[in-house]
Amino acid sequence: MAVVTDPQPPARTDPPASPDGGRRRVVAMTVWAVAFVAAWLAIGLPTDPAYAFVWIWLATIAWNSERPWRSHLRFARDWVPVVLLFVIYNLSRGFADNGATPHAMELIVADRFMFGWATGGEVPTVWLQEHLYHPQVHWWDVAASWVYFSHFVVALAAAAVLWLRDRHRWAAYMRRWGFLCAAGLVTYFIYPAAPPWWAAQNGLLTEVARISTRGWKAFGMHGAGNVLNAGQIASNPVAAMPSLHTAWALFVVLFFLTATRRRWWPLLLAYPLAMTFTLVYSGEHYVIDVLVGWAYVGLTFLVVGLAERGWAAWRVRHPSAKAAPATELPPTPTDPPPGQPEPSTPREPDTTTHPAVPADH
């Protein structure tokens, strides 16, 4: 007698989820946030690449605190070379001027040519500060300070999320980001250019204030920009062309744009536009710097994409020894494998002693 039963679901083979995993993550991220705010108020915002990397690494540890330390050390192993490259990049920018007088008048002429008809013959930086800059801090000053600070965090944070989710995409992201920074650094040496605030200090423009960090004073956070202000004092004043601030902003948006729903595209594209307004209004860059930076982003995606496709085609034409191992000939019947009996040789049927049987029998 057969017994009919309902089919049972297959047994789970993955480890059961920890009942307090969510609570552990919330506690770890809360501790990280409190420590970050305390360090922010005491030391300043993390605008140095090495300092920002430490906080991003701690954030990944807090988010995945249940993972073994081997996973967290792997993150550091992959990121230490990247951080070292950016530290070298920041230090090398200081040698770009070589004591020569930077280019300034060409940038002023370019901005006046493009926008003088709408600004009364002034460059956009001077026109914006004449209409928006006041001794008291307004809400747009606060927004500009946060947008300016995001330059030092957004690109690194996006890279960290990519590393956690898809290391192959992280590698593609880093290849393009590295090429973009290298192209900008080479340009700084070939064509050192000064920002609007430098031109005003040297009598080439009317008064221009450098106000990219003044927005934090509205909240009484005078020490929030300590690290950033120190970095601005020690930074290279002739690294204005191209504007890597807007280049990084556009680069991050374009990298994720195709994987984002179209209804979010206007919000994403508003970020590089907000960065453009911030840099021009605060006296950090001309509009021509921004446009050249955007052109560098397009060149980056084109060159690195072509290089990746060329490398993939070369790998197909020249497979490595590991990818295509040499095939061995199968053993002959006379050489059986060790430990196995010699196979018997099939014989021809003897038709003399065993006559053929008709198929129908």
Side-chain angles (χ1 to χ4, degrees):
M1 181 174 62
V3 179
V4 179
T5 59
D6 295 333
Q8 299 297 320
R12 294 178 59 92
T13 57
D14 55 331
S18 176
D20 60 343
R23 183 184 306 172
R24 180 176 180 177
R25 174 172 290 175
V26 170
V27 172
M29 291 302 298
T30 302
V31 172
W32 177 89
V34 171
F36 176 80
V37 173
W40 165 18
L41 297 178
I43 303 175
L45 292 169
T47 57
D48 180 77
Y51 186 35
F53 160 74
V54 171
W55 283 110
I56 292 175
W57 186 24
L58 292 176
T60 61
I61 294 175
W63 184 260
N64 292 318
S65 58
E66 74 282 355
R67 291 188 179 181
W69 274 103
R70 185 181 303 174
S71 173
H72 303 310
L73 294 177
R74 191 179 302 118
F75 181 92
R77 178 201 65 189
D78 290 347
W79 276 77
V80 165
V82 176
V83 175
L84 290 178
L85 287 176
F86 279 110
V87 170
I88 295 173
Y89 161 78
N90 283 342
L91 294 176
S92 61
R93 288 192 309 167
F95 302 96
D97 56 350
N98 293 322
T101 303
H103 297 270
M105 283 305 302
E106 305 97 300
L107 312 181
I108 296 174
V109 170
D111 268 30
R112 284 175 175 169
F113 175 77
M114 290 186 295
F115 302 99
W117 58 273
T119 60
E122 292 287 355
V123 297
T125 296
V126 174
W127 187 86
L128 286 174
Q129 291 199 3
E130 287 178 351
H131 289 78
L132 298 176
Y133 176 56
H134 303 284
Q136 65 274 18
V137 178
H138 293 277
W139 66 267
W140 54 82
D141 297 306
V142 177
S145 294
W146 282 108
V147 171
Y148 185 78
F149 163 69
S150 70
H151 161 75
F152 304 95
V153 176
V154 169
L156 281 173
V161 173
L162 276 177
W163 190 92
L164 292 173
R165 297 177 62 89
D166 189 344
R167 193 173 179 276
H168 293 289
R169 290 199 70 198
W170 172 82
Y173 181 96
M174 283 301 177
R175 285 192 293 268
R176 288 158 176 79
W177 195 14
F179 181 90
L180 177 61
C181 294
L185 182 60
V186 171
T187 308
Y188 297 153
F189 280 90
I190 297 176
Y191 188 84
W197 62 264
W198 185 97
Q201 289 181 358
N202 289 271
L204 301 178
L205 285 176
T206 56
E207 184 177 358
V208 173
R210 195 177 189 184
I211 53 177
S212 54
T213 62
R214 73 189 298 254
W216 294 318
K217 297 178 181 179
F219 298 97
M221 297 184 297
H222 300 278
N226 288 342
V227 177
L228 179 56
N229 293 333
Q232 286 184 337
I233 295 173
S235 64
N236 179 18
V238 298
M241 172 70 76
S243 170
L244 285 187
H245 285 74
T246 49
W248 284 18
L250 183 63
F251 164 75
V252 174
V253 169
L254 292 183
F255 190 88
F256 294 98
L257 196 65
T258 56
T260 308
R261 294 183 179 180
R262 290 181 179 271
R263 62 183 180 183
W264 298 109
W265 284 15
L267 182 61
L268 291 178
L269 293 174
Y271 175 56
L273 295 178
M275 182 65 74
T276 299
F277 169 82
T278 295
L279 297 173
V280 175
Y281 166 61
S282 61
E284 298 289 347
H285 284 282
Y286 298 96
V287 178
I288 187 63
D289 302 336
V290 173
L291 298 179
V292 174
W294 289 355
Y296 273 46
V297 174
L299 180 67
T300 295
F301 279 94
L302 176 63
V303 172
V304 178
L306 290 176
E308 289 175 344
R309 287 192 288 271
W311 173 251
W314 187 89
R315 291 290 301 271
V316 171
R317 294 193 303 268
H318 303 83
S320 61
K322 291 183 179 180
T327 58
E328 298 180 357
L329 295 176
T332 59
T334 57
D335 298 324
Q340 293 188 11
E342 184 176 352
S344 58
T345 305
R347 297 192 228 171
E348 296 292 335
D350 190 356
T351 56
T352 58
T353 57
H354 302 282
V357 181
D360 54 350
H361 294 328

